[in-house]
Amino acid sequence: MSSLTAKILDGKALAKKIHQELKQRIEILQPQKQRPPGLAVLMVGDNPASAAYVRNKERACTKVGIASFNRHFPADTTQQELERVIDELNQDSRVDGILVQLPLPKHLDPIPLLYRILPEKDADGLHPLNLGKLVRSETGLRSCTPAGVMRLLKEYNLELSGKRAVVVGRSILVGKPLALMLLEQNATVTIAHSRTKDLPKLTREADILIAAVGRTELITADMVKPGAIVIDVGINRVEAKDGGKSRLVGDVDFDNVAAVAEYITPVPGGVGPMTVALLLQNTVDSYERNA
Ligand code: NAD
């Protein structure tokens, strides 16, 4: 194991700071609004990872003073039933943010559901109107994970203008919106994906390397330019060999890459807590704007 020389981008600490700021904003706004902000997370089925994320979000809401209107549906819930509930929540003046916890069971199509959420209550920033605003660099609700990554880079005053950024992963949830946000900050951005040829050659050119793939230790030390900023979005569960407790790891071989990079995010404690913090921030932003 190599020795760590990179500085840690501490998402856990920054998320805590953001929670504190949000709590104060809510305390100021609540007397005039006569209600707390509200967030509704819709979950279908019993995916254990999703259940853990939903619990995390609910705990964070309680801490900052956001009311949870979470709904948990059985795995065989129909598309029509979910659409009906979204319509109901769209009309509910106590609810400022609505999000559908993905992935959904196979028989459900998430796209019409994401379209159905009112854009001004779209806490996850995945409605096409909000994605369109991002493309145009307009103010709107932005996807929480990429927005969390950008906030973390900003916190550490890391200059992005003119830098080479390589985003590995092109999902609508992380890779694509993150590439647009980096471009907005004047980075020169390349998106790599499963069909990219010679990934190591590309990643070695990156001043800022983002891994958002979902593959344990895809990014090894020889793929990283010395002095790079490495952001690990991946969350992978690794079973213990001796049958002990499983653990969470990212897409980056942390120990070895930390000996080459200048900055690195840990997993857990990096991007994960930032995603939750930005979800709460989106909810409070909507609360402030909505009647
Ligand atoms: P996804 O499966 O939708 O997308 C994965 C992307 O990786 C695809 O675009 C694919 O082209 C690319 N890819 C696959 N294999 C590749 C390879 N060998 N080389 C290069 N690219 C390859 O996943 P997602 O929703 O974008 O999530 C990615 C990871 O981030 C997952 O581990 C997920 O759990 C994690 N995630 C973390 C957070 C967080 O808060 N930290 C939030 C969302 C997602």
Side-chain angles (χ1 to χ4, degrees), residues 174-287:
V174 189
K176 275 190 205 172
L178 187 49
L180 287 165
M181 290 179 202
L182 289 161
L183 184 63
E184 194 177 41
Q185 297 303 317
N186 301 311
T188 302
V189 185
T190 304
I191 305 181
H193 47 79
S194 52
R195 306 282 177 91
T196 295
K197 296 211 165 64
D198 202 351
L199 181 66
K201 179 170 179 282
L202 205 62
T203 57
R204 275 195 291 270
E205 290 172 8
D207 302 308
I208 302 145
L209 176 59
I210 316 239
V213 175
R215 279 208 184 186
T216 307
E217 296 187 352
L218 174 78
I219 305 295
T220 48
D222 59 313
M223 294 168 75
V224 176
K225 177 175 170 177
I229 299 165
V230 178
I231 306 287
D232 192 352
V233 180
I235 302 179
N236 310 293
R237 188 165 287 283
V238 177
E239 298 305 326
K241 286 190 188 83
D242 54 8
K245 238 182 138 191
S246 63
R247 63 194 177 96
L248 293 181
V249 298
D251 291 346
V252 174
D253 173 5
F254 182 88
D255 290 331
N256 293 311
V257 170
V260 180
E262 189 178 356
Y263 289 92
I264 191 165
T265 59
V267 177
V271 176
M274 290 303 298
T275 298
V276 179
L278 269 285
L279 171 67
L280 305 190
Q281 186 174 298
N282 276 349
T283 307
V284 176
D285 286 349
S286 296
Y287 172 64

Side-chain angles (χ1 to χ4, degrees), residues 56-270:
N56 260 345
K57 287 168 188 170
E58 187 158 349
R59 234 178 275 139
C61 280
T62 308
K63 258 193 233 153
V64 306
I66 296 176
S68 291
F69 293 86
N70 295 352
R71 306 279 291 265
H72 188 178
F73 302 90
D76 60 357
T77 302
T78 62
Q79 188 89 16
Q80 289 72 20
E81 170 63 2
L82 289 172
E83 287 175 2
R84 195 191 58 73
V85 172
I86 290 174
D87 290 347
E88 198 179 290
L89 292 166
N90 279 339
Q91 298 303 320
D92 191 332
S93 57
R94 300 165 304 166
V95 175
D96 303 284
I98 304 169
L99 95 83
V100 178
Q101 185 68 42
L102 301 175
L104 290 172
K106 290 231 158 13
H107 70 282
L108 296 170
D109 183 356
I111 307 299
L113 300 176
L114 300 177
Y115 275 55
R116 201 152 182 123
I117 295 171
L118 280 179
E120 57 271 28
K121 292 194 178 190
D122 173 35
D124 236 355
L126 296 177
H127 189 284
L129 190 81
N130 285 320
L131 288 170
K133 283 184 172 176
L134 169 62
V135 175
R136 295 181 57 94
S137 271
E138 288 176 17
T139 308
L141 290 164
R142 291 194 168 184
S143 184
C144 306
T145 302
V149 169
M150 297 306 289
R151 178 71 178 79
L152 193 55
L153 292 169
K154 187 165 176 234
E155 182 71 10
Y156 286 82
N157 293 315
L158 299 174
E159 182 59 48
L160 304 177
S161 181
K163 297 285 166 63
R164 267 306 291 277
V166 174
V167 180
V168 190
R170 58 175 161 185
S171 74
I172 201 79
L173 193 63
V174 189
K176 275 190 205 172
L178 187 49
L180 287 165
M181 290 179 202
L182 289 161
L183 184 63
E184 194 177 41
Q185 297 303 317
N186 301 311
T188 302
V189 185
T190 304
I191 305 181
H193 47 79
S194 52
R195 306 282 177 91
T196 295
K197 296 211 165 64
D198 202 351
L199 181 66
K201 179 170 179 282
L202 205 62
T203 57
R204 275 195 291 270
E205 290 172 8
D207 302 308
I208 302 145
L209 176 59
I210 316 239
V213 175
R215 279 208 184 186
T216 307
E217 296 187 352
L218 174 78
I219 305 295
T220 48
D222 59 313
M223 294 168 75
V224 176
K225 177 175 170 177
I229 299 165
V230 178
I231 306 287
D232 192 352
V233 180
I235 302 179
N236 310 293
R237 188 165 287 283
V238 177
E239 298 305 326
K241 286 190 188 83
D242 54 8
K245 238 182 138 191
S246 63
R247 63 194 177 96
L248 293 181
V249 298
D251 291 346
V252 174
D253 173 5
F254 182 88
D255 290 331
N256 293 311
V257 170
V260 180
E262 189 178 356
Y263 289 92
I264 191 165
T265 59
V267 177

